[in-house]
Amino acid sequence: MRKSVLKVGFTSVCVSMLLFTSCSDDNDDLTIVEDNTTTDETEEASSTVDSNSYILAVAPDDGVFLIDHDGNTLYDWDFDGDLLGNDAELLSDGSLVATIKVDNPQITYGGYGGSFRKINADQTIAWNVDYSSDTYISHHDVNYLSNGNIIFPIWEQVSQDDAAEMGFSGNFDIYPDAIIEMNPLTQEVVWEWHVTDHIVQDFDESKENFGVVGDVPNLIDINYNNDQTDGDITHVNGITLDEENDLLYMTVNFYSEVWVIDHSTSTEEAASSTGGNYGLGGDLVYRFGNPLAYDNVGEVTLNRVHYPNLFDDNKMLLFVNNKYDNQSAVAEYQLSPPYELIAGQDNEPALIWEFTDSDLYSNGLGSGVRMSNGNTLIAEGTGAIWEVNSSGDVLWRFTNYSRPWRAYAFTTDDEAITALGL
């Protein structure tokens, strides 16, 4: 049985142990590993796959599939010839909200979409929404909210001249991120937030936003990725809205951070530094993973990152794409809201669990989800879906999809599964 390095390991080596099977062949489509050993190390960890769960596999090149641990497709969705953007979210009534690639997009960074579709359980279409133009496009992720709204990231063009006025040190157009909340039935934008309203820079002292990011940790250094000459300088690739606390989490790939903003603000407040539950407007209320991005102290624990999966008791799982020099990891943090960022102080959360393996690597995409029996489901991004237990034993590995964006776990009696007639 393959063993991971837990906590903060730097390498992972496949080993054969007494009563453990050897590492699986990476060419197999499906590997199921059974471990009936009881030791002090594993007695509290599940020794088998979570047979009470089905898996929603979201793979942009292939589609969206509900599968079991035998690799059987139980349900799949018809996109009527259109291509999946990246994400798809299965709702409790069996409907699916998916990102869709628009035809002839003007902005084509990896993960672009430009459109959203809600597909009912009977495969009829509830609605379609486009959000793209010559100067902006939605991308990567979507959250369907309890009020029926959708919230999603966009890239928006800032011309070279306008970027220079913001103190950007490069000489090219840039495409920083913004967040849009929309009523998909009326297509009204009801809330928005923009990176460009919350930047600081120490390049051009003639500009009003001149300053040192280490002194103002709630702001974003616009020049952190000034060598990203294609203009995609931030690259938000995942969002999670905590509706109970009205906080929005986003994974910011090119800053190797998670940013947290206050969603209780109005749009006007979100463009400022005042208002909302935290009194900070749209400035960051928290950030973690890479204190170098704001010239701060603390351990760097992220290096490119996907999917801010917030779950029980303010824990968060993250897929860390390049944690150990061409080796990925899934990291679990204990977060502690309400948040505070203090200049010059270690603001990093506790890293409480980590899985890595010498065969686990994806330079893009990826996710981690906690399953009903405590196992962790991982979408590797470059072709494999893994299930591991809390001790780091690899129990299942499925390689049918070329680029799994995310894998979500649903118990077999979940409302969404029942609504699909399964």
Side-chain angles (χ1 to χ4, degrees):
M1 175 172 290
R2 187 185 284 114
K3 291 287 290 182
S4 75
V5 174
L6 297 180
K7 301 300 183 184
V8 189
F10 289 90
T11 59
S12 176
V13 180
C14 292
V15 297
S16 294
M17 302 176 64
L18 183 63
L19 298 179
F20 283 74
T21 64
S22 62
C23 293
S24 59
D25 183 349
D26 286 343
N27 293 321
D28 292 341
D29 286 344
L30 175 65
T31 303
I32 298 179
V33 183
E34 297 285 349
D35 171 27
N36 298 314
T37 305
T38 300
T39 69
D40 290 340
E41 182 184 10
T42 62
E43 62 183 356
E44 294 183 359
S46 171
S47 60
T48 60
V49 298
D50 187 351
S51 59
N52 190 44
S53 289
Y54 294 142
I55 295 157
L56 186 75
V58 182
D61 297 339
D62 303 294
V64 181
F65 307 91
L66 188 71
I67 63 173
D68 60 21
H69 280 90
D70 292 324
N72 299 313
T73 297
L74 308 177
Y75 199 95
D76 63 87
W77 281 263
D78 180 8
F79 294 103
D80 195 28
D82 291 323
L83 297 176
L84 187 67
N86 264 14
D87 196 39
E89 181 178 351
L90 180 61
L91 308 182
S92 60
D93 64 355
S95 63
L96 189 83
V97 175
T99 62
I100 302 293
K101 288 186 175 181
V102 294
D103 294 332
N104 302 313
Q106 299 303 301
I107 302 171
T108 57
Y109 300 126
Y112 81 86
S115 185
F116 304 94
R117 181 173 302 164
K118 186 178 183 186
I119 305 172
N120 296 319
D122 64 0
Q123 301 277 17
T124 59
I125 296 175
W127 46 254
N128 278 297
V129 173
D130 288 341
Y131 200 85
S132 68
S133 74
D134 290 346
T135 58
Y136 61 80
I137 193 168
S138 62
H139 62 90
H140 280 95
D141 204 358
V142 62
N143 283 191
Y144 186 84
L145 308 182
S146 61
N147 62 5
N149 290 345
I150 55 175
I151 191 167
F152 50 88
I154 70 167
W155 285 300
E156 54 183 3
Q157 183 182 35
V158 176
S159 70
Q160 177 179 322
D161 289 344
D162 288 342
E165 285 301 308
M166 297 174 182
F168 183 65
S169 60
N171 296 311
F172 44 87
D173 293 355
I174 58 175
Y175 294 80
D177 283 284
I179 305 294
I180 299 296
E181 182 179 344
M182 173 189 285
N183 179 330
L185 300 181
T186 65
Q187 301 192 26
E188 176 190 5
V189 174
V190 299
W191 183 86
E192 55 191 280
W193 175 91
H194 302 261
V195 163
T196 51
D197 290 325
H198 306 282
I199 58 177
V200 65
Q201 53 82 29
D202 60 4
F203 173 71
D204 188 344
E205 62 183 9
S206 72
K207 301 299 187 287
E208 290 185 4
N209 63 357
F210 181 77
V212 178
V213 71
D215 296 334
V216 281
N218 304 93
L219 297 180
I220 299 158
D221 180 4
I222 194 175
N223 290 313
Y224 184 71
N225 280 314
N226 58 4
D227 59 349
Q228 196 78 24
T229 56
D230 67 354
D232 181 14
I233 61 172
T234 51
H235 200 87
V236 170
N237 57 33
I239 62 171
T240 296
L241 180 62
D242 174 3
E243 293 195 56
E244 180 178 353
N245 294 303
D246 228 354
L247 290 170
L248 182 73
Y249 297 79
M250 61 186 96
T251 41
V252 189
N253 200 34
F254 293 167
Y255 280 64
S256 295
E257 286 188 288
V258 174
W259 291 347
V260 188
I261 60 174
D262 185 353
H263 179 257
S264 75
T265 55
S266 65
T267 291
E268 292 74 19
E269 290 171 334
S272 75
S273 297
T274 60
N277 292 339
Y278 279 79
L280 294 171
D283 290 352
L284 306 185
V285 302
Y286 192 54
R287 64 197 304 173
F288 71 91
N290 179 22
L292 299 179
Y294 64 108
D295 294 341
N296 200 46
V297 299
E299 183 182 359
V300 175
T301 55
L302 300 178
N303 183 12
R304 301 296 173 93
V305 59
H306 281 75
Y307 189 29
N309 180 15
L310 187 71
F311 63 109
D312 297 340
D313 300 321
N314 290 302
K315 295 181 176 65
M316 178 171 282
L317 284 169
L318 294 163
F319 189 90
V320 192
N321 294 83
N322 194 24
K323 182 65 182 282
Y324 300 117
D325 191 17
N326 295 327
Q327 185 170 320
S328 301
V330 173
E332 180 180 351
Y333 296 85
Q334 179 63 65
L335 305 181
S336 301
Y339 297 117
E340 186 176 15
L341 277 173
I342 301 175
Q345 176 177 300
D346 186 347
N347 299 302
E348 299 300 303
L351 177 62
I352 58 176
W353 183 84
E354 184 176 81
F355 171 83
T356 189
D357 187 282
S358 57
D359 288 337
L360 182 73
Y361 178 63
S362 178
N363 63 355
L365 294 81
S367 68
V369 170
R370 189 60 38 82
M371 306 180 77
S372 64
N373 69 346
N375 290 349
T376 300
L377 185 69
I378 300 167
E380 184 180 354
T382 52
I385 300 174
W386 305 52
E387 185 175 337
V388 304
N389 66 14
S390 59
S391 293
D393 304 320
V394 178
L395 306 176
W396 187 76
R397 194 165 178 267
F398 187 67
T399 58
N400 266 21
Y401 308 121
S402 58
R403 292 190 313 130
W405 154 253
R406 289 182 188 166
Y408 300 100
F410 289 82
T411 57
T412 56
D413 61 353
D414 188 282
E415 290 181 1
I417 303 303
T418 302
L420 293 174
L422 300 174

